[in-house]
Amino acid sequence: MNMPLSRKLIFYTLLFVSALLVFAPAMIAFMMSFMTNQDIMAGNMIPTSLTFDNYLAVFDRFPLLNYLANSFIVSIVIMIGQLILCSLAAYAFVFMEFKGRDVLFFIFIATMMVPFEASVIPNFQTIRDLGLIDSYAGLSLPYFAMAFGTFLLRQNFKQIPKELKEASEIAGIGHFKFYLTVVLPVAKTSLVTLGVYGFLTSWNMYLWPLLSTTNDSVRTVQIGLKQLQSQEQLNEWGVIMAGGIIVVLPTLILLFLGQKKLQQGLAEGAIK
Amino acid sequence: MSEAAIHSEELTALSFEKIKKKQRIISFLKGMLFLMPSIVLFSIFLFYPLVRTIYLSFFLTDASGTPTAFVGLDNFIQMFTSPVFLQSMQSTFLFVHYTVPGTVLIGLFLAVIANEKLKGIGFFRTIFSSTMGISVAAGSVFWLFLFNPTMGWLNQILGFFGMESIGWLTDPNFALISVSVTTIWMNLGFTFLILLGGLQSIDSYLYENADIDGAGYFYKLRRITIPMLSPTLFFVLTVSLINAFQTFGQIDMLTRGGPQNETNLIVYSIYQEAFMNYQYGTASAQAVVLFVIILILTLVQFKLGERKVHYQ
Amino acid sequence: MKHVELIGVSKSFEKQQNVLNEIDLSIEKGEFFVLVGPSGSGKSTLLRMIAGLEDITGGILKISDKTVNHLPPKDRNLSMVFQNYALYPHLTVEQNILFGLHVKKTPKKEQQKRLKETADMMGLTELLKRKPKELSGGQRQRVALARSVVSESPICLMDEPLSNLDAKLRAHMRIEIRRLQKKLGLTMIYVTHDQVEAMTMGDRIMVLNEGKIQQVGKPITLYNKPANLFVASFIGSPKMNMGKAVFSNQQLIIEDKLHLSLDRAEAAGIPKDKNLNIGIRAEHIFPGTHDNTTHELEVINVEQLGNETLITFEIGKELWTAKWLGQWNVHTGDKVAVSISMKNMSFFDADSGLLIKPASAEREQEVVAI
């Protein structure tokens, strides 16, 4: 259907204005990361000259590369852990029949009612008592099991025709082989969706890394940014913004690449 | 055939039952094998902490969190008579009241205008969803500058129109609002993505049918889009509510609970009590309150959500 | 030799009792056996019980004289073709065909040999590298068959395998499946809701309704001597014309409308005091000639099929259809002469539904056919 020109114009105006407002904070930060300190201190909105110094400075003065590497490792470990645990659990809920399955499923639902923030005190003590403070394991382990991810995959696995399972049973293919050679490849897209989601949320974690890291050895980039901001307060905004831009770059790229899948996948897991 | 093939003469109904029972046990064990990793981790990091938090809320603890003295409901009584905690609860509810409708309404607006079939719409969708990829820490840093009293853009714009500067994060009248605006911005991406997904799953024949009837744009919006989107809206609403109650990062980055405890939201309050003041008992009591609030919200979602699902 | 044998097999679910009730059946080696019935009759459940995909709640199932109630599907030595073909969407045709052989640890050389043979036989050689979504419905169907053939299992189960194909392809595949079964000497158990499929493919047919066996027999027996009203109306197309009948004053009165003079030989042995139903096949309502016209009936619908003409009449509350060879220039509203005789009628007890006496004219026809 063709839209009348006047309505098209209205929509484009709304879209442009909204896009400008939504993207402004990030855009301004991006601009500032290339501005000299004089420009910023003078309160100039438009830079008089562009510089790459802020980026050099932030890498020079901070173990940013170290933080980035830590964040990558933690996010990928969490992502893989979630994919394995969630897909195994979802498989059991869809393709296996056994006593107590429905009760267990209810327990999984119930976990959604326990906010991580409310259980953070004992978790901190557990990780501390296990000697996992300042370790990748301590950072990632509490996030492996995830009810939301299990639901999302369960939703997707349910769309696999049950005849595939039955055909495999007749051919003598066991559960684990069916899971590995049929279910995982067929549900690839939803695994990617969950992977992207898991990576994004892990990369952006704040409270837990704040509690479970005490030094630079495994500190993630988010906490690094907090340190940067609290130490550079007042004067070096360009450097702080350069740090901020570097922190968001990986997730923004991932989001842009996976936006469509994420949107469909999340909506499915959320509603159906 | 396998060794299990037995001649019928040897098989009575009883032995069938035995074999069936054995098979049931085997399939139970197999099922548990698949679920065990999740169950173990849930137990360690979710169920145990939950019980432990409730347990701790009845005790005083030393600085490492070991319970030292049973105090019964003292922590709760103290908490509900402490003006600081009551202030924190009030701020939390105000914060929720500011951010949830704001996020959902703006997200809905963006989703509706980005659902049109126009050239270049993909670009706008990407921009609108972008804040989902911006972490709490980075987002806070961006806004920290905008809120900066002298160099920040917000005050510069006010100055441009000849208005007085505002202490966005330092003025008790503005701090909570500033934090709320930042939060709305941060949550917009996720809300937008979910709502757009919901809009796109509405069958297009509904609109085509309305077009044939000659329905106008706003009529369709009100009579088709919003009702059909209601399950998604409902989901987004509850998720936003729960998220709002769990807000922590931006508080830590922007205001640290100040000024005058105006932005001391409940999770930040728990954090301070436990990890700054080492009062694990009272912190746990606060966590129990947070848990109860979330529990009620989730239950409401399940209860109402069940009914809403029939729309689909 | 009995290949598959069911003794008093029953199925109950928690919510639904007696989905299948005391099924006794034996299927010979190399036989093409069709289970036919309307949806919900329990035919698929029965097939799935034989396959081992569904628990047997009562009775005994034997395959090759061994009780297999407790065996998992893989140990029953059978293959199965599903309605939706159950092809693995991420694997190529070749991988799909070989998927089961990998598990059974068939040697690589043997695998390739069987693959080649099967692909040749099914005409899939050109398609081996394709994915299922790049195939047409008929090709997918053949891949599903190939997967079953390659397993070399002596028993093959099929669950409505043709229902996703269009009519033309379906007719073609009927012949292909039938030929394949004969060639490989498979014992075939075939489930369908389509009585044409059942009639054209089966060596023997079992008609199932509401979990109970209605009749087991050769297709032609089911057609000529339906054991009860259900089988009579289920088998045959167009379906058998039915009507309530009473004897009165040397006449047989059908639906208070048709009056036939009594044929003593035909009426012998039919209890006059019972509620009766009669059935007559469409091809037995003949066009009336000068000699044999028994009734003049008003036409309410005509279907010209080219090689034959279907003419519908209203008989009381029933609609009766006559099937006449060739093309007839008849129009709605016309009165046409027909010949209806008692010797073509099957008589049923209206209360129990059971057959009292089949149409006797069939016997003569069989002789004619030879």
Side-chain angles (χ1 to χ4, degrees):
Chain A
M1 201 190 68
N2 262 327
M3 224 186 274
L5 196 65
S6 60
R7 186 184 285 181
K8 249 187 204 173
L9 217 63
I10 295 174
F11 272 115
Y12 274 120
T13 317
L14 287 176
L15 285 166
F16 266 109
V17 173
S18 311
L20 213 63
L21 288 175
V22 170
F23 212 51
M27 215 42 234
I28 293 167
F30 184 71
M31 213 165 68
M32 285 177 63
S33 69
F34 292 103
M35 277 161 79
T36 61
N37 216 24
Q38 288 89 331
D39 267 347
I40 297 171
M41 293 304 262
N44 289 345
M45 285 191 169
I46 311 294
T48 51
S49 64
L50 294 177
T51 167
F52 210 67
D53 289 350
N54 293 325
Y55 286 91
L56 297 178
V58 79
F59 277 108
D60 195 39
R61 283 187 236 160
F62 271 86
L64 200 58
L65 273 180
N66 193 9
Y67 294 154
L68 280 171
N70 289 336
S71 270
F72 261 111
I73 292 169
V74 171
S75 303
I76 288 191
V77 168
I78 292 181
M79 181 183 86
I80 293 173
Q82 285 178 343
L83 285 177
I84 294 173
L85 263 67
C86 292
S87 61
L88 280 172
Y91 179 88
F93 286 132
V94 175
F95 291 106
M96 301 175 100
E97 265 174 46
F98 54 89
K99 217 175 166 193
R101 189 184 71 168
D102 297 341
V103 177
L104 281 169
F105 187 65
F106 180 76
I107 292 174
F108 269 64
I109 292 178
T111 63
M112 301 239 265
M113 297 187 207
V114 186
F116 187 76
E117 281 74 5
S119 43
V120 79
I121 296 166
N123 276 338
F124 173 75
Q125 293 171 342
T126 306
I127 292 294
R128 185 192 59 195
D129 297 344
L130 290 173
L132 293 176
I133 294 289
D134 291 322
S135 74
Y136 293 129
L139 273 169
S140 51
L141 222 48
Y143 288 92
F144 281 0
M146 176 166 72
F148 174 72
T150 308
F151 289 141
L152 192 115
L153 293 183
R154 175 176 168 266
Q155 221 48 56
N156 253 277
F157 290 178
K158 271 164 79 176
Q159 284 164 19
I160 297 173
K162 69 174 190 337
E163 283 86 353
L164 288 191
K165 177 76 186 84
E166 293 174 349
S168 303
E169 262 172 55
I170 287 170
I173 292 157
H175 279 298
F176 193 66
K177 182 154 191 204
F178 184 70
Y179 161 80
L180 271 186
T181 56
V182 179
V183 174
L184 292 187
V186 170
K188 205 167 51 195
T189 350
S190 58
L191 292 174
V192 172
T193 308
L194 183 62
V196 170
Y197 180 80
F199 188 92
L200 278 180
T201 46
S202 317
W203 182 270
N204 293 342
M205 276 194 305
Y206 188 86
L207 177 57
W208 185 242
L210 184 67
L211 293 177
S212 62
T213 60
T214 58
N215 58 43
D216 283 347
S217 66
V218 300
R219 184 166 285 156
T220 64
V221 79
Q222 308 297 340
I223 310 309
L225 191 62
K226 174 191 155 86
Q227 306 254 307
L228 175 67
Q229 177 252 327
S230 52
Q231 286 174 32
E232 297 282 311
Q233 200 85 352
L234 291 178
N235 29 38
E236 302 254 20
W237 276 104
V239 178
I240 299 174
M241 290 308 188
I245 293 297
I246 288 167
V247 170
V248 299
L249 223 47
T251 41
L252 274 188
I253 292 171
L254 191 64
L255 185 72
F256 292 165
L257 293 178
Q259 189 235 106
K260 202 157 201 163
K261 267 183 196 151
L262 206 57
Q263 170 201 327
Q264 289 161 350
L266 291 182
E268 253 171 44
I271 306 153
K272 281 179 192 160
Chain B
M1 272 203 210
S2 80
E3 68 292 336
I6 307 162
H7 283 285
S8 58
E9 292 79 31
E10 305 160 27
L11 281 170
T12 58
L14 201 72
S15 55
F16 277 145
E17 273 313 304
K18 253 188 203 160
I19 291 163
K20 265 189 202 162
K21 206 167 183 181
K22 205 169 145 197
Q23 282 168 345
R24 269 203 292 274
I25 292 170
I26 287 170
S27 47
F28 176 76
L29 290 179
K30 277 183 185 163
M32 291 311 282
L33 214 58
F34 277 74
L35 289 172
M36 202 42 84
S38 291
I39 292 176
V40 168
L41 286 183
F42 273 142
S43 307
I44 298 176
F45 294 111
L46 221 89
F47 296 123
Y48 162 72
L50 180 64
V51 175
R52 180 77 181 168
T53 303
I54 296 170
Y55 176 77
L56 282 178
S57 71
F58 297 118
F59 285 86
L60 288 178
T61 66
D62 63 14
S64 71
T66 319
T68 49
F70 179 78
V71 293
L73 289 172
D74 271 11
N75 284 332
F76 288 93
I77 294 165
Q78 210 175 25
M79 183 172 71
F80 280 112
T81 51
S82 136
V84 177
F85 179 74
L86 292 179
Q87 162 78 46
S88 159
M89 285 307 288
Q90 192 197 348
S91 298
T92 307
F93 278 101
L94 263 181
F95 175 80
V96 169
H97 178 71
Y98 293 152
T99 54
V100 172
T103 312
V104 174
L105 286 177
I106 298 174
L108 180 62
F109 169 75
L110 294 180
V112 167
I113 62 172
N115 194 33
E116 294 296 327
K117 286 191 187 73
L118 291 167
K119 235 182 211 148
I121 201 73
F123 168 76
F124 293 106
R125 287 179 185 167
T126 308
I127 296 288
F128 293 160
S129 59
S130 65
T131 67
M132 194 187 163
I134 293 173
S135 67
V136 169
S140 300
V141 164
F142 297 171
W143 280 88
L144 208 51
F145 173 75
L146 294 176
F147 287 138
N148 187 287
T150 50
M151 298 171 282
W153 279 42
L154 290 176
N155 275 347
Q156 286 208 43
I157 292 169
L158 286 183
F160 181 79
F161 288 108
M163 282 186 269
E164 252 180 71
S165 290
I166 292 172
W168 294 101
L169 296 173
T170 48
D171 185 335
N173 293 321
F174 279 99
L176 192 62
I177 293 176
S178 304
V179 173
S180 301
V181 168
T182 312
T183 307
I184 291 175
W185 180 78
M186 286 171 177
N187 294 340
L188 216 47
F190 178 78
T191 314
F192 165 78
L193 265 188
I194 300 273
L195 287 174
L196 184 64
L199 282 179
Q200 290 185 336
S201 67
I202 299 176
D203 255 321
S204 62
Y205 76 82
L206 286 176
Y207 292 105
E208 283 159 15
N209 200 29
D211 283 335
I212 292 166
D213 294 339
Y217 179 81
F218 286 101
Y219 185 85
K220 282 189 277 183
L221 192 65
R222 218 176 53 229
R223 288 299 169 87
I224 300 175
T225 312
I226 304 295
M228 291 306 290
L229 197 62
S230 63
T232 321
L233 271 173
F234 192 76
F235 170 79
V236 162
L237 201 69
T238 1
V239 170
S240 304
L241 266 173
I242 292 172
N243 277 343
F245 276 104
Q246 297 177 20
T247 302
F248 173 77
Q250 50 270 56
I251 305 295
D252 189 46
M253 296 282 291
L254 293 174
T255 62
R256 291 170 192 255
Q260 296 161 27
N261 282 329
E262 272 297 323
T263 61
N264 190 15
L265 303 187
I266 185 157
V267 177
Y268 196 76
S269 169
I270 296 170
Y271 167 76
Q272 272 194 320
E273 202 65 9
F275 301 104
M276 303 284 185
N277 305 335
Y278 302 109
Q279 298 292 330
Y280 289 102
T282 39
S284 296
Q286 296 188 12
V288 170
V289 171
L290 174 63
F291 168 69
V292 170
I293 293 173
I294 304 273
L295 178 74
I296 293 170
L297 287 178
T298 326
L299 284 179
V300 166
Q301 144 137 58
F302 281 136
K303 209 74 212 147
L304 292 179
E306 247 169 58
R307 245 181 282 157
K308 300 269 172 180
V309 168
H310 296 299
Y311 274 103
Q312 293 263 315
Chain C
M1 179 196 159
K2 286 175 196 161
H3 202 179
V4 178
E5 197 179 3
L6 285 78
I7 305 163
V9 167
S10 301
K11 175 77 183 177
S12 294
F13 293 107
E14 253 167 61
K15 287 172 194 150
Q16 204 183 354
Q17 290 294 308
N18 289 334
V19 176
L20 285 169
N21 204 357
E22 296 281 323
I23 303 289
D24 289 304
L25 181 68
S26 68
I27 296 164
E28 301 294 312
K29 200 172 177 61
E31 187 175 23
F32 198 118
F33 193 85
V34 178
L35 294 173
V36 67
S39 58
S41 59
K43 57 190 188 303
S44 283
T45 308
L46 186 57
L47 189 77
R48 293 164 55 79
M49 282 160 83
I50 296 171
L53 298 171
E54 201 85 62
D55 248 3
I56 296 172
T57 38
I60 288 184
L61 170 68
K62 289 184 182 181
I63 292 176
S64 304
D65 288 326
K66 282 175 191 144
T67 302
V68 295
N69 284 43
H70 56 293
L71 289 185
K74 67 178 164 83
D75 295 329
R76 296 187 183 195
N77 214 359
L78 42 78
S79 64
M80 184 158 173
V81 176
F82 293 86
Q83 180 171 4
N84 63 4
Y85 317 139
L87 300 181
Y88 303 107
H90 60 298
L91 301 179
T92 62
V93 169
E94 176 176 339
Q95 288 166 328
N96 259 294
I97 294 175
L98 291 177
F99 199 68
L101 294 188
H102 285 307
V103 184
K104 297 210 167 114
K105 304 228 162 58
T106 315
K108 274 259 148 31
K109 227 174 162 182
E110 169 75 8
Q111 282 187 22
Q112 285 306 320
K113 188 178 137 254
R114 283 203 222 169
L115 171 71
K116 200 180 164 304
E117 282 173 8
T118 314
D120 280 346
M121 186 178 358
M122 304 302 300
L124 291 169
T125 313
E126 308 291 311
L127 306 173
L128 286 177
K129 297 293 170 216
R130 296 221 197 145
K131 292 266 176 77
K133 65 165 180 274
E134 299 161 329
L135 302 177
S136 69
Q139 289 167 336
R140 280 180 213 177
Q141 166 79 73
R142 283 214 293 275
V143 178
L145 289 178
R147 199 165 62 181
S148 169
V149 167
V150 90
S151 73
E152 297 190 349
S153 311
I155 301 174
C156 180
L157 311 181
M158 294 197 176
D159 191 0
E160 307 252 10
L162 302 181
S163 61
N164 286 343
L165 301 178
D166 63 51
K168 216 166 148 188
L169 202 52
R170 208 179 308 160
H172 175 70
M173 289 308 294
R174 283 209 295 259
I175 299 168
E176 262 196 48
I177 290 177
R178 181 82 188 143
R179 210 168 59 185
L180 193 69
Q181 181 260 338
K182 283 279 167 272
K183 187 166 158 191
L184 301 175
L186 293 172
T187 302
M188 176 77 79
I189 307 176
Y190 186 103
V191 163
T192 179
H193 67 275
D194 179 356
Q195 57 89 20
V196 177
E197 237 168 76
M199 293 291 285
T200 50
M201 297 175 85
D203 290 327
R204 273 194 311 149
I205 299 175
M206 174 169 118
V207 182
L208 207 60
N209 188 38
E210 292 179 341
K212 292 193 186 71
I213 297 181
Q214 303 296 315
Q215 191 171 5
V216 182
K218 290 188 174 144
I220 212 68
T221 314
L222 263 56
Y223 189 83
N224 291 340
K225 292 178 193 161
N228 55 36
L229 283 169
F230 179 81
V231 178
S233 61
F234 192 78
I235 299 287
S237 170
K239 75 191 256 288
M240 188 184 259
N241 301 307
M242 299 287 192
K244 278 203 288 283
V246 281
F247 287 101
S248 158
N249 291 337
Q250 302 305 310
Q251 277 195 319
L252 179 67
I253 306 169
I254 298 161
E255 288 284 321
D256 283 334
K257 180 161 186 207
L258 286 186
H259 294 252
L260 276 90
S261 52
L262 204 62
D263 180 336
R264 292 216 167 269
E266 292 296 331
I270 300 173
K272 309 287 186 291
D273 53 338
K274 280 194 174 171
N275 293 325
L276 295 174
N277 271 5
I278 62 101
I280 183 166
R281 293 280 176 199
E283 62 271 26
H284 293 150
I285 301 176
F286 297 101
T289 61
H290 184 71
D291 306 325
N292 67 5
T293 296
T294 55
H295 300 88
E296 296 254 324
L297 294 172
E298 189 184 322
V299 176
I300 64 162
N301 190 41
V302 181
E303 290 173 53
Q304 295 283 0
L305 300 178
N307 60 339
E308 57 194 22
T309 308
L310 298 182
I311 304 161
T312 311
F313 310 104
E314 203 169 8
I315 309 292
K317 279 179 287 183
E318 300 284 328
L319 290 181
W320 280 21
T321 304
K323 183 157 81 175
W324 293 351
L325 270 182
Q327 302 174 357
W328 292 74
N329 190 20
V330 177
H331 300 282
T332 307
D334 291 355
K335 287 238 173 209
V336 298
V338 297
S339 166
I340 299 173
S341 86
M342 261 181 79
K343 67 172 196 281
N344 291 316
M345 288 181 182
S346 304
F347 287 82
F348 300 91
D349 179 337
D351 299 317
S352 66
L354 293 177
L355 181 71
I356 297 169
K357 180 184 153 307
S360 54
E362 311 289 359
R363 273 165 244 143
E364 293 162 32
Q365 274 198 337
E366 269 174 64
V367 177
V368 169
I370 296 164

